[in-house]
Amino acid sequence: MEDFIRDDIIEQTLDRARNPEPSRVRDVIGKALELQGLTPGEAAVLLQCEDPELTGEILEAAHRVKLEIYGNRLVIFAPLYISNYCSNNCLYCGFRRDNTELKRRSLTLEEIADEVMALEREGHKRILMLCGEHPGMSPLDYFIEAIETVYATTTEKGGEIRRINVEIAPMSVEDFRRLKAAKIGTYVLFQETYHHETYRRMHPVGPKADFLWRLTAQDRAMQAGIDDVGIGALFGLYDYKYEVIGLLHHALHLDETYGVGPHTISVPRLEPALNAPAAIQPPSPVSDDDFKKLVAVIRLSVPYTGMILSTREPAELRSVVFDLGISQISAGSRTNPGGYRKGDSNDFRAAQFNLGDTRTLDEVIYDITQRGHIPSFCTACYRLGRVGKNFMDLAKPGLIQKYCRTNAILTFAEYLADYASPETKKAGDALVDRLVAETEEKAMRELLEERVQAVRGGAHDLYI
Ligand code: SAM
Ligand code: SF4
C-alpha cells in the first residue's frame, strides 16, 4: 500500500494557516458548530491560533459539540496488560528491549483469569487488552487464548467482561481475520508519530521500525472485516500541531477508502518510564494548555469519532478535557502485567509508564458524577451489530445519543447496585433518579423507570 502521509503537505498546510485573522478563526468555529467536521486546512487555522480569547472560543465550541453529540456520558474501561516482553526498542517505552532492569512476565491463562476477576469485582465490563510485541512470549495464538479466557471468566453478581478492545502490534489480513473471529470490539493502534524522520529515530530496530507496515494496520484490519478501528498519536514526540493534522489525514484516508472513518482517536501524552530516554526528556513536550487545545480541535474536526483519554493524565486535567470532547476514559488502571490482583500496585519496575491518575474506579466514578458526567459501562452497540458504517449512520442523525443515554443510565445503575461504595451509591442513585425524571419522551421515561427498578432488584445486562 502507498504511504498516504506526506510530510511536505502537512507542513505546507500548517505554514499556510500561520497567524490567522480573527474573522477566519471565527468562520472555522462557525462551520464546526454545524457538526460537519473540518478539513485539515481548517483544523490548521485553529491550531495556529495563539490568541487567548479566540482559543477560549475554540474550547467553548468543542464543549458545545461534545454535549450535542455525546451528552455528558463517559464510557469507562480498564487496560489489561498480559505481557511486557518486547522485541522492539521504542525509545519512550519501559517495555523496550534494551531495558534490562524491567521485571518481565507473560501471564499464564490462570493469572489472566485472576486479573479479570479482580477487574470484574471492581465493576469493569469493558477492557482494552494489550501486550508488547514478542513472537516468542506473546504470539497471536496466546493472545487469542487470552481473549477466550477473559470472556469465559465470570464472577458473582453478573460479573463479566462484555467487550474486549485490543491494542497489539500490526499483523497480516489473515491474522486480523483470526482476531475478528475471537470477537474483539475495536482494534486500536497508535502511529506514535506521523513524522517520518522522528518515527525512524524513535523506533530504531525490530518490526516496529517499518513506518508503512504500522500506518496501514487499520487498513488490513478493515479488509479482514473488523468494523471498528482506533487510531492515535503519542503526543510529545514531535510538534503536536503536525500530529493532529497527521491524525486527520489518517481518518480521511480510512473514510475515503472504506466509507467509514476511525471509531476512536486516542490522545496519549508521554509519561516518564523506566530507562526510556525519550519519555524522561520528551523531544517536543506538550503543555497542558496545548493539550486542551489539541483535544478541542480534534473534537471539532471529527465530531462523530469517539475520543479516548487514559490515566496517563492527572485527575485535575482529565476533568477539564472531559468537557472538551472526550467520550471514553480508562479508570483504576495498572500497566504492569498482573497489577490488578490484590496487593499489587502499578509497580514502576514492571510497568510501561507512570500513571498520572492512580485513583480507584470507585473514586473516579464518584468524582465524575460530582462534576455532572454520567459514567457508562455500555457494550450494547457492538453486541447488537451497531458497528462501523452502521454505527455512523445511526450516530449522525442523533439516534445514538438516545440509545447511549438510556444504556448509560442502566449500566451505571447496575454498577451502583453491585459495586459502588456507600458514598458513591448515594450520590449515583440520586443522579440516576434525576436523569430518569428528566427524560423527555414519555415512553422512554417509563421504560427507564421500569428497568432501573429491575436493576435495583438484581437484574443484569439490560440494554436497548
Ligand atoms: N506494543 C504495542 C504497540 O506498541 O503498539 C501495543 C501497545 S503499547 C503496549 C501501548 C502504547 O503505549 C504505545 O502505542 C505507546 O503509544 C504508549 N506508550 C509507550 N510508552 C509510553 C510512555 N512513556 N508514555 C505514554 N505512553 C506510552
Ligand atoms: Fe514494545 Fe509497544 Fe513498548 Fe514499543 S511501545 S517497546 S512496541 S510495548
PDB file of all heavy atoms in Angstrom, residues 349-384:
ATOM      1  N   ARG A 349       8.795  -0.829  38.180  1.00  0.00           N
ATOM      2  CA  ARG A 349       9.838  -1.651  37.580  1.00  0.00           C
ATOM      3  C   ARG A 349       9.289  -2.736  36.652  1.00  0.00           C
ATOM      4  O   ARG A 349      10.038  -3.474  36.036  1.00  0.00           O
ATOM      5  CB  ARG A 349      10.746  -2.242  38.660  1.00  0.00           C
ATOM      6  CG  ARG A 349      11.724  -1.155  39.183  1.00  0.00           C
ATOM      7  CD  ARG A 349      12.481  -1.591  40.396  1.00  0.00           C
ATOM      8  NE  ARG A 349      11.563  -2.164  41.373  1.00  0.00           N
ATOM      9  CZ  ARG A 349      11.712  -3.349  41.937  1.00  0.00           C
ATOM     10  NH1 ARG A 349      12.727  -4.106  41.614  1.00  0.00           N
ATOM     11  NH2 ARG A 349      10.848  -3.772  42.836  1.00  0.00           N
ATOM     12  N   ALA A 350       7.952  -2.830  36.567  1.00  0.00           N
ATOM     13  CA  ALA A 350       7.357  -3.778  35.609  1.00  0.00           C
ATOM     14  C   ALA A 350       6.368  -3.061  34.693  1.00  0.00           C
ATOM     15  O   ALA A 350       5.777  -3.670  33.818  1.00  0.00           O
ATOM     16  CB  ALA A 350       6.643  -4.892  36.363  1.00  0.00           C
ATOM     17  N   ALA A 351       6.190  -1.749  34.924  1.00  0.00           N
ATOM     18  CA  ALA A 351       5.130  -1.018  34.224  1.00  0.00           C
ATOM     19  C   ALA A 351       5.626  -0.398  32.928  1.00  0.00           C
ATOM     20  O   ALA A 351       6.828  -0.166  32.747  1.00  0.00           O
ATOM     21  CB  ALA A 351       4.575   0.073  35.129  1.00  0.00           C
ATOM     22  N   GLN A 352       4.668  -0.083  32.049  1.00  0.00           N
ATOM     23  CA  GLN A 352       5.054   0.523  30.780  1.00  0.00           C
ATOM     24  C   GLN A 352       5.413   1.992  30.959  1.00  0.00           C
ATOM     25  O   GLN A 352       6.303   2.515  30.323  1.00  0.00           O
ATOM     26  CB  GLN A 352       3.909   0.381  29.776  1.00  0.00           C
ATOM     27  CG  GLN A 352       4.393   0.658  28.366  1.00  0.00           C
ATOM     28  CD  GLN A 352       3.274   0.719  27.364  1.00  0.00           C
ATOM     29  OE1 GLN A 352       2.122   0.877  27.712  1.00  0.00           O
ATOM     30  NE2 GLN A 352       3.623   0.621  26.114  1.00  0.00           N
ATOM     31  N   PHE A 353       4.665   2.668  31.817  1.00  0.00           N
ATOM     32  CA  PHE A 353       4.947   4.079  32.098  1.00  0.00           C
ATOM     33  C   PHE A 353       4.271   4.437  33.406  1.00  0.00           C
ATOM     34  O   PHE A 353       3.474   3.665  33.942  1.00  0.00           O
ATOM     35  CB  PHE A 353       4.446   5.000  30.954  1.00  0.00           C
ATOM     36  CG  PHE A 353       3.050   4.696  30.521  1.00  0.00           C
ATOM     37  CD1 PHE A 353       1.958   5.146  31.248  1.00  0.00           C
ATOM     38  CD2 PHE A 353       2.811   3.941  29.383  1.00  0.00           C
ATOM     39  CE1 PHE A 353       0.667   4.845  30.850  1.00  0.00           C
ATOM     40  CE2 PHE A 353       1.516   3.626  28.981  1.00  0.00           C
ATOM     41  CZ  PHE A 353       0.444   4.088  29.725  1.00  0.00           C
ATOM     42  N   ASN A 354       4.576   5.614  33.917  1.00  0.00           N
ATOM     43  CA  ASN A 354       3.980   6.107  35.163  1.00  0.00           C
ATOM     44  C   ASN A 354       2.540   6.548  34.939  1.00  0.00           C
ATOM     45  O   ASN A 354       2.234   7.069  33.874  1.00  0.00           O
ATOM     46  CB  ASN A 354       4.755   7.369  35.583  1.00  0.00           C
ATOM     47  CG  ASN A 354       5.512   7.142  36.842  1.00  0.00           C
ATOM     48  OD1 ASN A 354       5.487   6.052  37.404  1.00  0.00           O
ATOM     49  ND2 ASN A 354       6.190   8.169  37.297  1.00  0.00           N
ATOM     50  N   LEU A 355       1.707   6.423  35.952  1.00  0.00           N
ATOM     51  CA  LEU A 355       0.326   6.880  35.791  1.00  0.00           C
ATOM     52  C   LEU A 355       0.151   8.260  36.418  1.00  0.00           C
ATOM     53  O   LEU A 355       0.705   8.530  37.490  1.00  0.00           O
ATOM     54  CB  LEU A 355      -0.622   5.902  36.479  1.00  0.00           C
ATOM     55  CG  LEU A 355      -0.670   4.493  35.886  1.00  0.00           C
ATOM     56  CD1 LEU A 355      -1.580   3.603  36.713  1.00  0.00           C
ATOM     57  CD2 LEU A 355      -1.142   4.540  34.441  1.00  0.00           C
ATOM     58  N   GLY A 356      -0.663   9.099  35.764  1.00  0.00           N
ATOM     59  CA  GLY A 356      -0.947  10.417  36.335  1.00  0.00           C
ATOM     60  C   GLY A 356      -2.154  10.361  37.263  1.00  0.00           C
ATOM     61  O   GLY A 356      -2.266  11.130  38.212  1.00  0.00           O
ATOM     62  N   ASP A 357      -3.078   9.430  36.994  1.00  0.00           N
ATOM     63  CA  ASP A 357      -4.302   9.313  37.793  1.00  0.00           C
ATOM     64  C   ASP A 357      -4.330   7.901  38.386  1.00  0.00           C
ATOM     65  O   ASP A 357      -4.592   6.929  37.684  1.00  0.00           O
ATOM     66  CB  ASP A 357      -5.520   9.539  36.884  1.00  0.00           C
ATOM     67  CG  ASP A 357      -6.841   9.495  37.654  1.00  0.00           C
ATOM     68  OD1 ASP A 357      -6.835   9.110  38.843  1.00  0.00           O
ATOM     69  OD2 ASP A 357      -7.877   9.835  37.053  1.00  0.00           O
ATOM     70  N   THR A 358      -4.060   7.820  39.679  1.00  0.00           N
ATOM     71  CA  THR A 358      -3.932   6.493  40.303  1.00  0.00           C
ATOM     72  C   THR A 358      -5.155   6.153  41.164  1.00  0.00           C
ATOM     73  O   THR A 358      -5.118   5.228  41.959  1.00  0.00           O
ATOM     74  CB  THR A 358      -2.674   6.449  41.205  1.00  0.00           C
ATOM     75  OG1 THR A 358      -2.766   7.563  42.110  1.00  0.00           O
ATOM     76  CG2 THR A 358      -1.397   6.543  40.408  1.00  0.00           C
ATOM     77  N   ARG A 359      -6.242   6.912  41.019  1.00  0.00           N
ATOM     78  CA  ARG A 359      -7.415   6.658  41.852  1.00  0.00           C
ATOM     79  C   ARG A 359      -8.096   5.336  41.477  1.00  0.00           C
ATOM     80  O   ARG A 359      -7.938   4.849  40.373  1.00  0.00           O
ATOM     81  CB  ARG A 359      -8.421   7.812  41.693  1.00  0.00           C
ATOM     82  CG  ARG A 359      -7.893   9.144  42.210  1.00  0.00           C
ATOM     83  CD  ARG A 359      -8.805  10.281  41.816  1.00  0.00           C
ATOM     84  NE  ARG A 359      -8.952  10.378  40.360  1.00  0.00           N
ATOM     85  CZ  ARG A 359      -9.860  11.123  39.751  1.00  0.00           C
ATOM     86  NH1 ARG A 359     -10.704  11.849  40.453  1.00  0.00           N
ATOM     87  NH2 ARG A 359      -9.915  11.165  38.431  1.00  0.00           N
ATOM     88  N   THR A 360      -8.870   4.802  42.417  1.00  0.00           N
ATOM     89  CA  THR A 360      -9.623   3.572  42.123  1.00  0.00           C
ATOM     90  C   THR A 360     -10.793   3.917  41.207  1.00  0.00           C
ATOM     91  O   THR A 360     -11.181   5.095  41.075  1.00  0.00           O
ATOM     92  CB  THR A 360     -10.204   2.963  43.411  1.00  0.00           C
ATOM     93  OG1 THR A 360     -11.145   3.910  43.947  1.00  0.00           O
ATOM     94  CG2 THR A 360      -9.121   2.652  44.443  1.00  0.00           C
ATOM     95  N   LEU A 361     -11.397   2.861  40.643  1.00  0.00           N
ATOM     96  CA  LEU A 361     -12.570   3.081  39.792  1.00  0.00           C
ATOM     97  C   LEU A 361     -13.667   3.808  40.587  1.00  0.00           C
ATOM     98  O   LEU A 361     -14.275   4.766  40.101  1.00  0.00           O
ATOM     99  CB  LEU A 361     -13.088   1.732  39.272  1.00  0.00           C
ATOM    100  CG  LEU A 361     -14.394   1.789  38.480  1.00  0.00           C
ATOM    101  CD1 LEU A 361     -14.237   2.631  37.220  1.00  0.00           C
ATOM    102  CD2 LEU A 361     -14.860   0.378  38.091  1.00  0.00           C
ATOM    103  N   ASP A 362     -13.898   3.358  41.818  1.00  0.00           N
ATOM    104  CA  ASP A 362     -14.968   3.967  42.614  1.00  0.00           C
ATOM    105  C   ASP A 362     -14.701   5.464  42.843  1.00  0.00           C
ATOM    106  O   ASP A 362     -15.613   6.292  42.755  1.00  0.00           O
ATOM    107  CB  ASP A 362     -15.107   3.232  43.954  1.00  0.00           C
ATOM    108  CG  ASP A 362     -16.358   3.670  44.696  1.00  0.00           C
ATOM    109  OD1 ASP A 362     -17.461   3.243  44.289  1.00  0.00           O
ATOM    110  OD2 ASP A 362     -16.246   4.475  45.643  1.00  0.00           O
ATOM    111  N   GLU A 363     -13.444   5.808  43.122  1.00  0.00           N
ATOM    112  CA  GLU A 363     -13.106   7.230  43.340  1.00  0.00           C
ATOM    113  C   GLU A 363     -13.335   8.054  42.071  1.00  0.00           C
ATOM    114  O   GLU A 363     -13.838   9.178  42.124  1.00  0.00           O
ATOM    115  CB  GLU A 363     -11.647   7.365  43.801  1.00  0.00           C
ATOM    116  CG  GLU A 363     -11.435   6.913  45.238  1.00  0.00           C
ATOM    117  CD  GLU A 363      -9.963   6.708  45.598  1.00  0.00           C
ATOM    118  OE1 GLU A 363      -9.116   6.564  44.694  1.00  0.00           O
ATOM    119  OE2 GLU A 363      -9.669   6.676  46.807  1.00  0.00           O
ATOM    120  N   VAL A 364     -12.958   7.466  40.925  1.00  0.00           N
ATOM    121  CA  VAL A 364     -13.155   8.199  39.662  1.00  0.00           C
ATOM    122  C   VAL A 364     -14.655   8.379  39.403  1.00  0.00           C
ATOM    123  O   VAL A 364     -15.117   9.467  39.037  1.00  0.00           O
ATOM    124  CB  VAL A 364     -12.474   7.450  38.481  1.00  0.00           C
ATOM    125  CG1 VAL A 364     -12.837   8.093  37.142  1.00  0.00           C
ATOM    126  CG2 VAL A 364     -10.966   7.428  38.661  1.00  0.00           C
ATOM    127  N   ILE A 365     -15.428   7.308  39.634  1.00  0.00           N
ATOM    128  CA  ILE A 365     -16.876   7.391  39.381  1.00  0.00           C
ATOM    129  C   ILE A 365     -17.504   8.473  40.273  1.00  0.00           C
ATOM    130  O   ILE A 365     -18.310   9.291  39.806  1.00  0.00           O
ATOM    131  CB  ILE A 365     -17.548   6.024  39.683  1.00  0.00           C
ATOM    132  CG1 ILE A 365     -17.003   4.943  38.763  1.00  0.00           C
ATOM    133  CG2 ILE A 365     -19.071   6.123  39.601  1.00  0.00           C
ATOM    134  CD1 ILE A 365     -17.587   4.901  37.396  1.00  0.00           C
ATOM    135  N   TYR A 366     -17.119   8.461  41.527  1.00  0.00           N
ATOM    136  CA  TYR A 366     -17.684   9.467  42.442  1.00  0.00           C
ATOM    137  C   TYR A 366     -17.358  10.873  41.927  1.00  0.00           C
ATOM    138  O   TYR A 366     -18.227  11.733  41.812  1.00  0.00           O
ATOM    139  CB  TYR A 366     -17.128   9.275  43.863  1.00  0.00           C
ATOM    140  CG  TYR A 366     -17.697  10.275  44.839  1.00  0.00           C
ATOM    141  CD1 TYR A 366     -18.985  10.090  45.346  1.00  0.00           C
ATOM    142  CD2 TYR A 366     -16.978  11.418  45.209  1.00  0.00           C
ATOM    143  CE1 TYR A 366     -19.538  11.027  46.216  1.00  0.00           C
ATOM    144  CE2 TYR A 366     -17.528  12.356  46.069  1.00  0.00           C
ATOM    145  CZ  TYR A 366     -18.800  12.156  46.572  1.00  0.00           C
ATOM    146  OH  TYR A 366     -19.358  13.074  47.414  1.00  0.00           O
ATOM    147  N   ASP A 367     -16.087  11.072  41.584  1.00  0.00           N
ATOM    148  CA  ASP A 367     -15.637  12.393  41.150  1.00  0.00           C
ATOM    149  C   ASP A 367     -16.378  12.842  39.876  1.00  0.00           C
ATOM    150  O   ASP A 367     -16.875  13.970  39.807  1.00  0.00           O
ATOM    151  CB  ASP A 367     -14.123  12.341  40.908  1.00  0.00           C
ATOM    152  CG  ASP A 367     -13.574  13.682  40.486  1.00  0.00           C
ATOM    153  OD1 ASP A 367     -13.958  14.691  41.098  1.00  0.00           O
ATOM    154  OD2 ASP A 367     -12.779  13.730  39.521  1.00  0.00           O
ATOM    155  N   ILE A 368     -16.479  11.965  38.894  1.00  0.00           N
ATOM    156  CA  ILE A 368     -17.091  12.433  37.636  1.00  0.00           C
ATOM    157  C   ILE A 368     -18.595  12.681  37.793  1.00  0.00           C
ATOM    158  O   ILE A 368     -19.135  13.579  37.169  1.00  0.00           O
ATOM    159  CB  ILE A 368     -16.761  11.539  36.408  1.00  0.00           C
ATOM    160  CG1 ILE A 368     -17.300  10.127  36.552  1.00  0.00           C
ATOM    161  CG2 ILE A 368     -15.284  11.513  36.121  1.00  0.00           C
ATOM    162  CD1 ILE A 368     -16.998   9.247  35.324  1.00  0.00           C
ATOM    163  N   THR A 369     -19.239  11.907  38.671  1.00  0.00           N
ATOM    164  CA  THR A 369     -20.668  12.193  38.855  1.00  0.00           C
ATOM    165  C   THR A 369     -20.853  13.546  39.545  1.00  0.00           C
ATOM    166  O   THR A 369     -21.777  14.286  39.238  1.00  0.00           O
ATOM    167  CB  THR A 369     -21.394  11.098  39.676  1.00  0.00           C
ATOM    168  OG1 THR A 369     -20.682  10.906  40.885  1.00  0.00           O
ATOM    169  CG2 THR A 369     -21.476   9.793  38.950  1.00  0.00           C
ATOM    170  N   GLN A 370     -19.914  13.879  40.477  1.00  0.00           N
ATOM    171  CA  GLN A 370     -19.991  15.190  41.125  1.00  0.00           C
ATOM    172  C   GLN A 370     -19.828  16.321  40.113  1.00  0.00           C
ATOM    173  O   GLN A 370     -20.292  17.428  40.314  1.00  0.00           O
ATOM    174  CB  GLN A 370     -18.891  15.328  42.203  1.00  0.00           C
ATOM    175  CG  GLN A 370     -19.052  14.393  43.389  1.00  0.00           C
ATOM    176  CD  GLN A 370     -20.396  14.557  44.069  1.00  0.00           C
ATOM    177  OE1 GLN A 370     -20.721  15.607  44.575  1.00  0.00           O
ATOM    178  NE2 GLN A 370     -21.211  13.515  44.020  1.00  0.00           N
ATOM    179  N   ARG A 371     -19.112  16.039  39.039  1.00  0.00           N
ATOM    180  CA  ARG A 371     -18.859  17.068  38.024  1.00  0.00           C
ATOM    181  C   ARG A 371     -19.907  17.041  36.918  1.00  0.00           C
ATOM    182  O   ARG A 371     -19.731  17.663  35.873  1.00  0.00           O
ATOM    183  CB  ARG A 371     -17.465  16.888  37.415  1.00  0.00           C
ATOM    184  CG  ARG A 371     -16.343  17.094  38.414  1.00  0.00           C
ATOM    185  CD  ARG A 371     -15.018  16.719  37.773  1.00  0.00           C
ATOM    186  NE  ARG A 371     -13.942  16.597  38.737  1.00  0.00           N
ATOM    187  CZ  ARG A 371     -13.105  17.574  39.037  1.00  0.00           C
ATOM    188  NH1 ARG A 371     -13.218  18.742  38.459  1.00  0.00           N
ATOM    189  NH2 ARG A 371     -12.155  17.374  39.924  1.00  0.00           N
ATOM    190  N   GLY A 372     -20.951  16.247  37.089  1.00  0.00           N
ATOM    191  CA  GLY A 372     -22.069  16.286  36.138  1.00  0.00           C
ATOM    192  C   GLY A 372     -21.984  15.306  34.991  1.00  0.00           C
ATOM    193  O   GLY A 372     -22.769  15.367  34.053  1.00  0.00           O
ATOM    194  N   HIS A 373     -20.998  14.374  35.009  1.00  0.00           N
ATOM    195  CA  HIS A 373     -20.917  13.391  33.927  1.00  0.00           C
ATOM    196  C   HIS A 373     -21.702  12.138  34.293  1.00  0.00           C
ATOM    197  O   HIS A 373     -21.915  11.847  35.470  1.00  0.00           O
ATOM    198  CB  HIS A 373     -19.457  12.985  33.678  1.00  0.00           C
ATOM    199  CG  HIS A 373     -18.566  14.125  33.325  1.00  0.00           C
ATOM    200  ND1 HIS A 373     -18.577  14.718  32.093  1.00  0.00           N
ATOM    201  CD2 HIS A 373     -17.650  14.803  34.055  1.00  0.00           C
ATOM    202  CE1 HIS A 373     -17.699  15.705  32.081  1.00  0.00           C
ATOM    203  NE2 HIS A 373     -17.126  15.789  33.255  1.00  0.00           N
ATOM    204  N   ILE A 374     -22.108  11.375  33.270  1.00  0.00           N
ATOM    205  CA  ILE A 374     -22.782  10.089  33.517  1.00  0.00           C
ATOM    206  C   ILE A 374     -21.816   8.976  33.121  1.00  0.00           C
ATOM    207  O   ILE A 374     -21.508   8.825  31.934  1.00  0.00           O
ATOM    208  CB  ILE A 374     -24.055   9.927  32.652  1.00  0.00           C
ATOM    209  CG1 ILE A 374     -24.895  11.201  32.653  1.00  0.00           C
ATOM    210  CG2 ILE A 374     -24.846   8.712  33.094  1.00  0.00           C
ATOM    211  CD1 ILE A 374     -26.038  11.148  31.644  1.00  0.00           C
ATOM    212  N   PRO A 375     -21.340   8.191  34.085  1.00  0.00           N
ATOM    213  CA  PRO A 375     -20.463   7.081  33.710  1.00  0.00           C
ATOM    214  C   PRO A 375     -21.272   6.010  32.980  1.00  0.00           C
ATOM    215  O   PRO A 375     -22.417   5.749  33.338  1.00  0.00           O
ATOM    216  CB  PRO A 375     -19.967   6.516  35.056  1.00  0.00           C
ATOM    217  CG  PRO A 375     -20.467   7.457  36.098  1.00  0.00           C
ATOM    218  CD  PRO A 375     -21.592   8.236  35.530  1.00  0.00           C
ATOM    219  N   SER A 376     -20.687   5.418  31.947  1.00  0.00           N
ATOM    220  CA  SER A 376     -21.386   4.382  31.193  1.00  0.00           C
ATOM    221  C   SER A 376     -20.505   3.146  31.073  1.00  0.00           C
ATOM    222  O   SER A 376     -19.312   3.255  30.774  1.00  0.00           O
ATOM    223  CB  SER A 376     -21.732   4.900  29.801  1.00  0.00           C
ATOM    224  OG  SER A 376     -22.273   3.855  29.031  1.00  0.00           O
ATOM    225  N   PHE A 377     -21.104   1.973  31.300  1.00  0.00           N
ATOM    226  CA  PHE A 377     -20.388   0.704  31.101  1.00  0.00           C
ATOM    227  C   PHE A 377     -21.013  -0.025  29.916  1.00  0.00           C
ATOM    228  O   PHE A 377     -20.929  -1.248  29.810  1.00  0.00           O
ATOM    229  CB  PHE A 377     -20.489  -0.155  32.368  1.00  0.00           C
ATOM    230  CG  PHE A 377     -19.779   0.451  33.553  1.00  0.00           C
ATOM    231  CD1 PHE A 377     -20.416   1.380  34.373  1.00  0.00           C
ATOM    232  CD2 PHE A 377     -18.469   0.109  33.842  1.00  0.00           C
ATOM    233  CE1 PHE A 377     -19.757   1.952  35.454  1.00  0.00           C
ATOM    234  CE2 PHE A 377     -17.801   0.680  34.926  1.00  0.00           C
ATOM    235  CZ  PHE A 377     -18.454   1.602  35.737  1.00  0.00           C
ATOM    236  N   CYS A 378     -21.644   0.730  29.051  1.00  0.00           N
ATOM    237  CA  CYS A 378     -22.438   0.134  27.976  1.00  0.00           C
ATOM    238  C   CYS A 378     -21.571  -0.610  26.950  1.00  0.00           C
ATOM    239  O   CYS A 378     -20.503  -0.149  26.562  1.00  0.00           O
ATOM    240  CB  CYS A 378     -23.222   1.233  27.271  1.00  0.00           C
ATOM    241  SG  CYS A 378     -24.187   0.575  25.932  1.00  0.00           S
ATOM    242  N   THR A 379     -22.075  -1.750  26.502  1.00  0.00           N
ATOM    243  CA  THR A 379     -21.407  -2.518  25.450  1.00  0.00           C
ATOM    244  C   THR A 379     -22.432  -2.933  24.386  1.00  0.00           C
ATOM    245  O   THR A 379     -22.214  -3.871  23.629  1.00  0.00           O
ATOM    246  CB  THR A 379     -20.762  -3.800  26.046  1.00  0.00           C
ATOM    247  OG1 THR A 379     -21.760  -4.521  26.765  1.00  0.00           O
ATOM    248  CG2 THR A 379     -19.616  -3.482  26.975  1.00  0.00           C
ATOM    249  N   ALA A 380     -23.574  -2.241  24.359  1.00  0.00           N
ATOM    250  CA  ALA A 380     -24.710  -2.691  23.545  1.00  0.00           C
ATOM    251  C   ALA A 380     -24.442  -2.613  22.044  1.00  0.00           C
ATOM    252  O   ALA A 380     -24.751  -3.563  21.317  1.00  0.00           O
ATOM    253  CB  ALA A 380     -25.950  -1.880  23.887  1.00  0.00           C
ATOM    254  N   CYS A 381     -23.882  -1.499  21.564  1.00  0.00           N
ATOM    255  CA  CYS A 381     -23.773  -1.319  20.115  1.00  0.00           C
ATOM    256  C   CYS A 381     -23.059  -2.478  19.454  1.00  0.00           C
ATOM    257  O   CYS A 381     -23.522  -3.037  18.467  1.00  0.00           O
ATOM    258  CB  CYS A 381     -23.037  -0.024  19.802  1.00  0.00           C
ATOM    259  SG  CYS A 381     -24.146   1.358  19.926  1.00  0.00           S
ATOM    260  N   TYR A 382     -21.933  -2.823  20.032  1.00  0.00           N
ATOM    261  CA  TYR A 382     -21.137  -3.860  19.403  1.00  0.00           C
ATOM    262  C   TYR A 382     -21.864  -5.202  19.444  1.00  0.00           C
ATOM    263  O   TYR A 382     -21.838  -5.986  18.504  1.00  0.00           O
ATOM    264  CB  TYR A 382     -19.769  -3.865  20.096  1.00  0.00           C
ATOM    265  CG  TYR A 382     -19.127  -5.179  20.339  1.00  0.00           C
ATOM    266  CD1 TYR A 382     -18.416  -5.818  19.320  1.00  0.00           C
ATOM    267  CD2 TYR A 382     -19.177  -5.769  21.588  1.00  0.00           C
ATOM    268  CE1 TYR A 382     -17.807  -7.030  19.556  1.00  0.00           C
ATOM    269  CE2 TYR A 382     -18.565  -6.971  21.826  1.00  0.00           C
ATOM    270  CZ  TYR A 382     -17.885  -7.601  20.807  1.00  0.00           C
ATOM    271  OH  TYR A 382     -17.284  -8.791  21.039  1.00  0.00           O
ATOM    272  N   ARG A 383     -22.604  -5.433  20.532  1.00  0.00           N
ATOM    273  CA  ARG A 383     -23.293  -6.721  20.634  1.00  0.00           C
ATOM    274  C   ARG A 383     -24.549  -6.768  19.759  1.00  0.00           C
ATOM    275  O   ARG A 383     -25.033  -7.836  19.400  1.00  0.00           O
ATOM    276  CB  ARG A 383     -23.613  -7.016  22.096  1.00  0.00           C
ATOM    277  CG  ARG A 383     -22.314  -7.319  22.865  1.00  0.00           C
ATOM    278  CD  ARG A 383     -22.429  -6.975  24.325  1.00  0.00           C
ATOM    279  NE  ARG A 383     -23.012  -8.020  25.108  1.00  0.00           N
ATOM    280  CZ  ARG A 383     -23.702  -7.805  26.232  1.00  0.00           C
ATOM    281  NH1 ARG A 383     -23.918  -6.568  26.654  1.00  0.00           N
ATOM    282  NH2 ARG A 383     -24.168  -8.805  26.905  1.00  0.00           N
ATOM    283  N   LEU A 384     -25.071  -5.598  19.400  1.00  0.00           N
ATOM    284  CA  LEU A 384     -26.252  -5.567  18.532  1.00  0.00           C
ATOM    285  C   LEU A 384     -25.893  -5.275  17.070  1.00  0.00           C
ATOM    286  O   LEU A 384     -26.762  -5.003  16.252  1.00  0.00           O
ATOM    287  CB  LEU A 384     -27.230  -4.504  19.038  1.00  0.00           C
ATOM    288  CG  LEU A 384     -27.899  -4.806  20.384  1.00  0.00           C
ATOM    289  CD1 LEU A 384     -28.701  -3.616  20.869  1.00  0.00           C
ATOM    290  CD2 LEU A 384     -28.798  -6.028  20.281  1.00  0.00           C
TER     291      LEU A 384
END
